[in-house]
Amino acid sequence: MTLTDDQRMLADTVAPFMADEGAISKQLRHWRDIGCKDGFGHGLWKQLAELGLTGIIVPEAQGGAGLGQVEANLVLEEIGRNLTPSPFLTTAVAAVRALEGSAQADRWFPGIVAGDTVAALAIDEGPHHAPAAVALEAKRSGNGFSLSGAKQFVVHGASADVILVAARTAGSAGETDGITLFAVPKDAAGMTVENVALTDASKAARLTFDGCAVDADAVVGEVDGGWAPLSRALNAGRAGAAAELVGVAAGSAEMTFDYLKQRKQFGRLIGEFQALQHRAAHLYGEIEIARAAALKAAQLLDAGDTKAELMVAVAKAKAGKVARLSVQEGVQMHGGIGMTDEHDIGFYMKRQAVLDELFGSPRFHSAEVARLSGY
Amino acid sequence: MSDLEAFRANTRAWLDANCPPEMREPMKGEKDICWGGRHFTFQNEAQKRWMEVMAERGWTVPDWPKKYGGGGLSPAESKILKEEMASLGCRPPLTSFGISMLGPALLKYGNEAQKKKYLTEIARGEIRWCQGYSEPGAGSDLAGLATKAEDKGDHYLVNGQKVWTSYADQADWIFCLVRTSTESKHGGISFLLFDMESEGVSTKPILLISGYSPFCETFFDDVKVPKDQLVHEENKGWDVAKYLLGHEREMISEMGLGGGAGSSTLGTALGGVDDPYLKAEIAAFDVDALAFAAMSERFIDQLKAGEAHPALPSMMKYAGTELNKKRHELVMAGGGSNALEWDSERSRGGKAARDWLRTKANSIEGGTSEVQLGIVAKHILRLPGA
Ligand SMILES: Cc1cc2nc3c(=O)[nH]c(=O)nc-3n(C[C@H](O)[C@H](O)[C@H](O)COP(=O)(O)OP(=O)(O)OC[C@H]3O[C@@H](n4cnc5c(N)ncnc54)[C@H](O)[C@@H]3O)c2cc1C
Ligand SMILES: Cc1cc2nc3c(=O)[nH]c(=O)nc-3n(C[C@H](O)[C@H](O)[C@H](O)COP(=O)(O)OP(=O)(O)OC[C@H]3O[C@@H](n4cnc5c(N)ncnc54)[C@H](O)[C@@H]3O)c2cc1C
């Protein structure tokens, strides 16, 4: 489990780019302070396209780089480290996996590859991740469907050009059969979008569908067979979120370890206190472990291994737990300054909270580990 | 078929043909571990044969050079051998401090004659080693050791006491840290090898809280050690000692895998759990354990590729042993009163409880968790004053 030369080169290109162009002062703090309605900059999204990153997992035949989850995760770790707001995870990773191989891919991939298009996923209907619990109803109507129901936590929902909506065409909430995935364009009649700002200054919409009419060709994959594209999107999204969380954990920890080497109290650098040293060393190890889990999950996904889903759950849960530890220790070890808005460390705590919930919390994924292991 | 694929197929076929069925059963206890050495009594013919056929191929130490009794395998081939042994359920043919600790140190610091003699004996399971590091006054502060070795021309005269020497009473030889100079704390230590049957060596077993007594007090009273049994240079034993500790920690960190190398979760091993609170705790543990298994795989790959920080074994030792302690806490919780039986047949002689107690040493032996964290803080995080 060491990186190939190509993967290392990619990481070496992305890291300085994100540290510079994606820096907190240039992106996150800037967009928040001016009250940007998207919560991210379209300029950066375009720059990512120029670097070939928005199409990183889009097949080469469709204009992308044709790379895999491991490569996408390298980008996401840097995004996490710098808290760079962008639709990379939802659009370039999760939505691309949902759309791949369908007719809708031909429609949306060119825009994604060019950095012109943003996609969002509308899955959850309650405050906790529960993709099988989809209840939003899609009834056949004319030669299309009519959607009724509500979604929440639709990240970048108000900025998206297309929203992938999981709806129920058969069965009942809790069943994975009978779900259908629709690619709904942003201006679809009967869909109301409420743009909500989240704790970390990103945006996630609440959507209401009131007899929203969509064409039959908006179906991604098969009618009643939406679980397949949805699972692909979720696996990729979860694995990617795990990598971004590792980046958040690492970025927060690096900032904290630096502070331990600068701040003096009691006539000594606080990093000399063993009470802090041991906690810092423990945190370091946990981050390495979370990174290995995320890498393993990505490799298994790319290999199409049957164990991939289990490892994805492990990675998302572990990265969430570790990132939480990292941001909590980060704010605590910064003392009073860590509680100020002026200091960046608090941003890590806020981002961790949002990413932790996105695509399922550590509790959700621990339960998945139990379920997939048969106990 | 690539070379590696061919290697895998051949390895599998050979293991399948040569590993006795008894050696594919999971180990039931300490006794099933094959330690080798002059005093070792094999459990059965299969255990002996398995060690011998593997030694014949150099596969007791697959990645050591062939000229020292190893298998001469590349890192990728060793990994394949390990995977194939795991998938067929083959037991390790030989477990020894010689393989996991002294061997690597000799490969780096031993002279040609020492390598030729000792490595070959270790590979064949002919001598069993023990580790003479700790002393009553020098545990975590290992370099504070006092056991003295005086230069007597062609030999050293060793006097002093060691403690917590695992299996000293069953070992053939000892690798031992001694003081050859008092001028500098770290710079006055030497690394000696000698026969436990030398005149003046005596041992006294110590009973553990688990009811086992695998370790001893070890006394040296005018022990003569020939000079050619000094490894590396006089007063430079600390380099050897630290290098060896890195390997010891690497080995101990594997406890984090709970023997299963990530193949099954604790929840499945316990055969399901009814109590929802315990189930949630176990599932959370399984997340940590499977993540650690991924880290362990990565760590070994990094070590082999020369990409690992030299202090990384400390991080792994800390994480792996804390995890193993947690695992056994949960096994006890899952077993309830059944797990508390100490000597019934049903409880296989109190295996769960004894194992649980034994794991408490994991975060002490080979350097305590606190010491490992200190090493990470100092050498990896470079925190001040650490
Ligand atoms: C919301 C808020 C309200 C406040 N209100 C008031 C107020 O009304 N009046 C007032 O006077 N102050 C107030 N304070 C200040 C508060 O008392 C200090 O922030 C606090 O004492 C910590 O000091 P510090 O921020 O300088 O952190 P530092 O002392 O720099 O500590 C940084 C980190 O190092 C650790 N550390 C420091 N020394 C040691 C050591 N010897 N061993 C181990 N670890 C150590 C700390 O635990 C911390 O994790 C307030 C702070 C906050 C956040
Ligand atoms: C089962 C078992 C097998 C062993 N086998 C061997 C063997 O084969 N050969 C051998 O030589 N040794 C062996 N040991 C000894 C082992 O290496 C020592 O026990 C260990 O290094 C700790 O030393 P100590 O017991 O003297 O504890 P101490 O050093 O006295 O430590 C007591 C406590 O203080 C803490 N402490 C000490 N220094 C610091 C510090 N600087 N900062 C923070 N906390 C600190 C420790 O972490 C520990 O919690 C074995 C031990 C056990 C339990």
Side-chain angles (χ1 to χ4, degrees):
Chain A
M1 282 172 83
T2 51
L3 297 180
T4 64
D5 289 343
D6 285 348
Q7 288 164 348
R8 219 177 290 269
M9 251 167 57
L10 174 69
D12 289 347
T13 317
V14 174
F17 171 82
M18 225 54 90
D20 182 15
E21 293 302 317
I24 295 176
S25 57
K26 233 181 203 167
Q27 302 290 338
L28 175 58
R29 191 179 282 280
H30 170 74
W31 297 118
R32 185 199 66 165
D33 288 354
I34 67 167
C36 165
K37 73 163 185 46
D38 293 314
F40 68 89
H42 288 277
L44 184 89
W45 186 231
K46 197 77 195 168
Q47 278 178 292
L48 293 182
E50 282 154 13
L51 288 172
L53 298 179
T54 56
I56 192 162
I57 57 176
V58 170
E60 281 177 286
Q62 286 169 291
L67 298 173
Q69 188 77 36
V70 171
E71 287 82 5
N73 278 13
L74 292 172
V75 178
L76 280 160
E77 186 171 335
E78 297 310 319
I79 285 178
R81 181 175 275 111
N82 298 287
L83 303 179
T84 311
S86 102
F88 185 83
L89 175 60
T90 48
T91 303
V93 180
V96 165
R97 281 288 182 236
L99 292 169
E100 71 187 357
S102 74
Q104 289 291 326
D106 296 330
R107 172 154 179 211
W108 300 107
F109 279 1
I112 292 174
V113 171
D116 295 329
T117 298
V118 169
L121 301 147
I123 302 164
D124 290 319
E125 300 175 11
H128 299 292
H129 184 60
V134 163
L136 184 143
E137 199 182 18
K139 272 205 239 159
R140 289 209 183 256
S141 131
N143 54 8
F145 291 83
S146 159
L147 309 186
S148 297
K151 294 283 179 182
Q152 68 181 65
F153 206 33
V154 182
V155 172
H156 308 308
S159 315
D161 302 282
V162 56
I163 301 174
L164 301 176
V165 181
R168 187 156 294 282
T169 38
S172 53
E175 294 172 7
T176 52
D177 285 344
I179 291 173
T180 302
L181 194 63
F182 293 91
V184 181
K186 66 174 172 195
D187 44 17
M191 175 173 78
T192 331
V193 180
E194 182 198 349
N195 195 13
V196 184
L198 301 180
T199 312
D200 66 343
S202 71
K203 309 279 162 146
R206 281 181 182 272
L207 306 180
T208 315
F209 296 84
D210 188 7
C212 170
V214 291
D215 293 341
D217 65 8
V219 172
V220 180
E222 308 283 322
V223 173
D224 293 348
W227 191 250
L230 192 56
S231 292
R232 288 199 305 269
L234 287 174
N235 276 325
R238 289 161 176 171
E244 189 172 343
L245 279 161
V246 169
V248 169
S252 158
E254 281 152 19
M255 193 172 273
T256 305
F257 299 158
D258 270 352
Y259 192 68
L260 296 181
K261 296 173 193 171
Q262 289 162 19
R263 170 72 171 168
K264 272 196 163 165
Q265 285 293 282
F266 302 99
R268 295 159 77 180
L269 291 165
I270 57 172
E272 291 180 47
F273 297 118
Q274 200 182 57
L276 302 190
Q277 286 180 354
H278 284 189
R279 278 154 53 192
H282 169 72
L283 173 58
Y284 161 80
E286 289 295 291
I287 294 172
E288 287 298 302
I289 293 168
R291 184 179 285 126
L295 178 58
K296 184 79 192 174
Q299 286 181 342
L300 293 177
L301 274 180
D302 286 343
D305 194 291
T306 50
K307 278 224 172 88
E309 202 174 356
L310 175 66
M311 206 57 212
V312 165
V314 168
K316 181 65 168 68
K318 183 70 186 177
K321 292 206 273 189
V322 171
R324 180 171 302 261
L325 176 71
S326 184
V327 299
Q328 288 176 348
E329 290 288 47
V331 169
Q332 175 64 20
M333 291 190 194
H334 274 80
I337 192 89
M339 288 298 297
T340 65
D341 182 72
E342 186 194 340
H343 200 283
D344 289 340
I345 192 74
F347 282 134
Y348 284 92
M349 185 169 271
K350 296 175 182 179
R351 182 70 186 139
Q352 187 276 329
V354 171
L355 271 177
D356 200 42
E357 194 60 50
L358 182 64
F359 300 129
S361 67
R363 284 181 302 280
F364 175 90
H365 286 293
S366 298
E368 280 290 281
V369 167
R371 184 181 69 78
L372 292 164
S373 310
Y375 67 93
Chain B
M1 192 155 42
S2 77
D3 288 354
L4 284 180
E5 283 167 32
F7 177 79
R8 188 184 290 281
N10 292 337
T11 299
R12 193 182 182 84
W14 187 87
L15 288 171
D16 205 24
N18 288 279
C19 184
E22 299 94 315
M23 293 298 106
R24 298 191 203 180
E25 301 274 309
M27 297 211 223
K28 288 188 202 71
E30 289 250 327
K31 284 196 184 138
D32 288 334
I33 302 174
C34 175
W35 291 97
R38 300 199 286 248
H39 309 294
F40 187 71
T41 18
F42 289 96
Q43 283 289 96
N44 49 37
E45 202 36 47
Q47 192 182 37
K48 183 156 185 276
R49 196 167 74 243
W50 178 224
M51 183 189 88
E52 285 169 357
V53 291
M54 285 291 272
E56 188 69 24
R57 266 179 111 75
W59 282 5
T60 50
V61 282
D63 51 5
W64 289 8
K66 281 198 166 145
K67 62 176 168 175
Y68 306 133
L73 300 189
S74 68
E77 290 168 337
S78 307
K79 195 170 172 176
I80 289 174
L81 172 59
K82 207 170 164 180
E83 286 166 2
E84 290 307 315
M85 284 178 66
S87 90
L88 291 174
C90 307
R91 290 182 188 175
L94 180 64
T95 300
S96 83
F97 295 172
I99 292 176
S100 48
M101 297 196 236
L102 179 62
L106 281 180
L107 278 167
K108 186 170 164 81
Y109 289 101
N111 62 37
E112 194 52 34
Q114 290 169 340
K115 289 186 198 174
K116 198 99 207 144
K117 172 171 162 50
Y118 300 118
L119 293 176
T120 313
E121 289 176 346
I122 290 168
R124 293 206 208 109
E126 288 168 356
I127 58 175
R128 181 167 180 185
W129 290 85
C130 65
Q131 178 186 33
Y133 273 32
S134 303
E135 298 184 9
S140 297
D141 186 14
L142 181 59
L145 60 92
T147 293
K148 198 169 59 174
E150 287 170 274
D151 189 338
K152 297 284 180 186
D154 65 335
H155 68 272
Y156 292 102
L157 195 65
V158 179
N159 278 288
Q161 186 199 333
K162 295 286 169 184
V163 73
W164 320 135
T165 332
S166 296
Y167 307 110
D169 54 343
Q170 292 164 57
D172 304 311
W173 277 59
I174 186 167
F175 48 94
C176 194
L177 296 181
V178 295
R179 183 155 296 289
T180 36
S181 160
T182 47
E183 267 165 44
S184 127
K185 187 176 177 182
H186 293 89
I189 294 171
S190 298
F191 194 98
L192 290 185
L193 312 175
F194 55 91
D195 196 319
M196 289 296 279
E197 280 172 12
S198 311
E199 199 167 326
V201 178
S202 58
T203 62
K204 206 169 116 200
I206 302 170
L207 193 64
L208 290 188
I209 53 175
S210 59
Y212 300 133
S213 66
F215 67 6
C216 300
E217 289 180 285
T218 309
F219 304 90
F220 308 126
D221 184 15
D222 280 343
V223 181
K224 281 186 188 168
V225 178
K227 277 238 176 115
D228 62 359
Q229 287 165 210
L230 170 78
V231 178
H232 198 40
E233 291 167 44
E234 191 172 283
N235 293 330
K236 287 203 174 159
W238 189 246
D239 295 340
V240 188
K242 274 194 306 183
Y243 185 75
L244 184 145
L245 277 174
H247 285 273
E248 179 178 8
R249 287 162 186 168
E250 176 193 331
M251 169 197 69
I252 297 177
S253 79
E254 287 186 16
M255 287 174 173
L257 302 174
S263 55
S264 108
T265 54
L266 178 58
T268 31
L270 289 176
V273 193
D274 296 334
D275 173 355
Y277 292 103
L278 184 59
K279 180 169 161 169
E281 250 189 272
I282 288 173
F285 170 84
D286 278 332
V287 166
D288 289 339
L290 292 169
F292 179 81
M295 181 65 215
S296 190
E297 186 185 342
R298 181 153 203 241
F299 168 63
I300 299 297
D301 291 347
Q302 286 175 325
L303 277 180
K304 300 242 157 99
E307 288 175 17
H309 188 289
L312 204 58
S314 287
M315 186 285 270
M316 290 300 291
K317 198 254 173 191
Y318 164 71
T321 57
E322 295 297 333
L323 190 65
N324 199 39
K325 287 197 297 181
K326 177 87 200 204
R327 171 181 286 111
H328 285 266
E329 288 291 330
L330 290 170
V331 168
M332 290 299 285
S337 61
N338 288 341
L340 293 169
E341 294 187 8
W342 190 247
D343 54 11
S344 65
E345 209 167 289
R346 206 176 318 107
S347 68
R348 286 202 270 134
K351 185 171 188 310
R354 291 170 193 269
D355 285 353
W356 159 69
L357 287 163
R358 175 60 181 85
T359 61
K360 299 307 178 194
N362 296 167
S363 49
I364 299 171
E365 60 198 329
T368 65
S369 282
E370 290 76 19
V371 165
Q372 308 311 322
L373 291 171
I375 290 171
V376 170
K378 177 175 179 176
H379 295 287
I380 300 183
L381 303 183
R382 305 211 161 274
L383 290 178

